[in-house]
Every structure is written in structure tokens, then in C-alpha cells.
């Protein structure tokens, strides 16, 4: 079954990553594009994640995962080599009603990490529901080349128009025409 695409606000959402190796680093790096309210639990951590912890002032608890550690978190990412612990974390997440992602264990994922493009307020997510990560990767590269860096400035300008112009048909037509004109210049 395919995953439903949704964009989640992370305001007041606490995130826990269990594990601090290379895969946990990748997940953490992606999450940092959207929030820094991240706690990491692991008995060890790789140099790359150590740098993220330091540069983003992330909470880090150096210990092995124990039942109950996910209490109070809204989103949990289990990034461990031990599949039985990942399964336990997922089962425990049912008790605490939090979303869970067990890396490389899709049967225990409420959500997945899509390939995405982020340029200012523009975020484009790409997913093949796990059937072809390479397709998602190459489609991302293709789309990144199409979208100019000026998109950030354009979106700031559009936000100003939306904030200052009265709502209604004229505003809608104006914004629609501005957008069509901007995109037509990409070719």
C-alpha cells in the first residue's frame, strides 16, 4: 500500500532518535531542515552525529534504549542494527500513540522519509513507497535542476502580496498570473 503524502508541522512536536550511527545521522540531518527539537538516545555515536549534536544543541542521552524511553515523544525513529529492539520500539509506540519509523523495516513504519527538495518555503517530497529509492533520488536530481534558486525570493514576494492585498478574485488572478509568468521563464 502507498503512503499518504502529508506535511506535518513540528511546532511543539518532540522527536526521539534511538541510535546514533550513520543512518541515524542521515535521518537527523533531514529532520534538522524542519526542527531542532530532537533528542538522541544511544550508547555510542558516530563523529558526524556528534557534530550535529554540538552545532544544533541537540539533547543527547548516552545509554542503551530501555522500555519507557519513548514516553513523552510525538515521533520516534528507531535507527538501530538490532531488529528486535526496533520491533519492541514500534510495539511500544502503539501504547504511547506516537508515530514511529523503524529504518529499513517498513512493516514497522507509520511514515517514511521521502526524498525531498527544500528551497526556502518550497518543499517537494518524492516517494515511490519504497519500491525504487533510486527513482526517487534521480527524480529529485532532475527536479532540482529545473527549479531556480530565485524561487526563495519569488515566494517571499508572493507572501508579501498575500499579506498586503485584500482577499478576493482580483488577488487570486494577480497571484496566479505572477506565478505562471515566473514559471514560464524557467524554460
Amino acid at each position: 500500500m502507498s503512503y499518504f503524502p502529508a506535511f506535518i508541522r513540528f511546532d511543539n512536536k518532540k522527536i526521539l532518535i534511538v541510535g546514533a550511527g550513520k543512518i541515524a545521522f542521515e535521518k537527523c540531518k533531514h529532520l534538522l531542515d524542519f526542527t531542532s527539537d530532537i533528542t538522541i538516545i544511544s550508547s555510542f555515536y558516530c563523529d558526524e552525529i556528534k557534530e550535529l549534536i554540538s552545532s544544533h544543541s541537540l539533547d543527547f542521552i548516552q545509554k542503551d534504549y530501555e522500555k519507557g524511553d519513548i514516553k513523552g515523544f510525538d515521533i520516534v525513529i528507531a535507527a538501530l542494527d538490532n531488529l528486535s529492539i526496533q520491533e519492541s520500539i514500534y510495539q511500544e509506540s502503539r501504547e504511547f500513540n506516537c508515530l514511529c519509523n523503524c529504518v529499513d523495516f517498513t512493516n514497522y513504519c507509520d511514515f517514511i522519509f521521502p526524498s525531498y527538495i527544500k528551497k526556502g518555503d518550497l518543499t517537494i517530497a518524492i516517494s515511490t513507497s519504497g519500491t525504487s529509492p533510486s527513482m526517487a533520488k534521480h527524480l529529485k536530481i532532475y527536479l532540482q535542476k529545473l527549479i531556480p534558486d530565485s524561487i526563495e525570493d519569488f515566494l517571499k514576494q508572493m507572501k508579501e502580496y498575500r499579506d498586503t492585498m485584500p482577499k478576493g478574485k482580483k488577488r487570486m488572478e494577480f497571484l496566479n498570473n505572477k506565478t505562471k509568468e515566473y514559471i514560464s521563464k524557467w524554460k
Side-chain angles (χ1 to χ4, degrees):
M1 180 178 286
S2 297
Y3 286 88
F4 175 76
F7 288 87
I8 301 170
R9 286 184 59 164
F10 280 165
D11 301 0
N12 303 313
K13 297 278 189 275
K14 293 182 58 141
I15 299 172
L16 174 66
I17 299 175
V18 181
K22 303 283 186 192
I23 294 173
F25 164 74
E26 289 297 325
K27 302 299 183 192
C28 187
K29 191 169 68 167
H30 291 300
L31 289 166
L32 284 168
D33 280 340
F34 304 95
T35 185
S36 60
D37 193 357
I38 300 169
T39 300
I40 301 167
I41 293 177
S42 184
S43 58
F44 79 96
Y45 50 96
C46 68
D47 291 338
E48 294 89 350
I49 209 162
K50 181 179 178 182
E51 174 58 33
L52 289 182
I53 291 166
S54 175
S55 63
H56 294 278
S57 301
L58 304 178
D59 292 330
F60 179 73
I61 303 167
Q62 190 164 8
K63 71 179 201 84
D64 287 328
Y65 171 81
E66 296 175 26
K67 187 173 172 98
D69 284 343
I70 69 172
K71 185 177 182 179
F73 289 94
D74 302 293
I75 298 169
V76 177
I77 292 94
L80 303 160
D81 290 332
N82 187 320
L83 296 181
S84 66
I85 294 176
Q86 284 196 49
E87 183 178 0
S88 296
I89 291 170
Y90 177 79
Q91 296 305 331
E92 187 178 356
S93 74
R94 304 303 84 187
E95 297 170 34
F96 289 107
N97 289 325
C98 56
L99 295 175
C100 186
N101 173 279
C102 294
V103 298
D104 292 328
F105 209 175
T106 55
N107 289 342
Y108 297 119
C109 288
D110 296 315
F111 67 96
I112 57 173
F113 283 76
S115 183
Y116 69 91
I117 298 166
K118 180 145 179 49
K119 291 186 178 194
D121 285 337
L122 176 70
T123 304
I124 300 172
I126 304 160
S127 173
T128 61
S129 295
T131 58
S132 180
S134 66
M135 176 58 167
K137 173 186 167 184
H138 288 283
L139 186 56
K140 171 186 171 180
I141 292 167
Y142 174 78
L143 292 172
Q144 279 178 315
K145 291 176 186 175
L146 289 178
I147 302 166
D149 290 337
S150 64
I151 190 83
E152 292 182 49
D153 293 331
F154 176 76
L155 290 174
K156 286 177 187 174
Q157 183 183 41
M158 294 299 279
K159 183 178 181 344
E160 285 180 33
Y161 290 138
R162 285 179 55 94
D163 290 346
T164 58
M165 294 177 73
K167 291 182 181 182
K169 188 176 180 179
K170 283 186 178 183
R171 179 179 91 164
M172 188 172 65
E173 288 174 3
F174 174 81
L175 296 174
N176 191 43
N177 288 333
K178 280 281 195 192
T179 301
K180 285 195 308 191
E181 177 185 321
Y182 176 72
I183 290 175
S184 72
K185 294 176 184 175
W186 293 6
K187 299 175 185 176

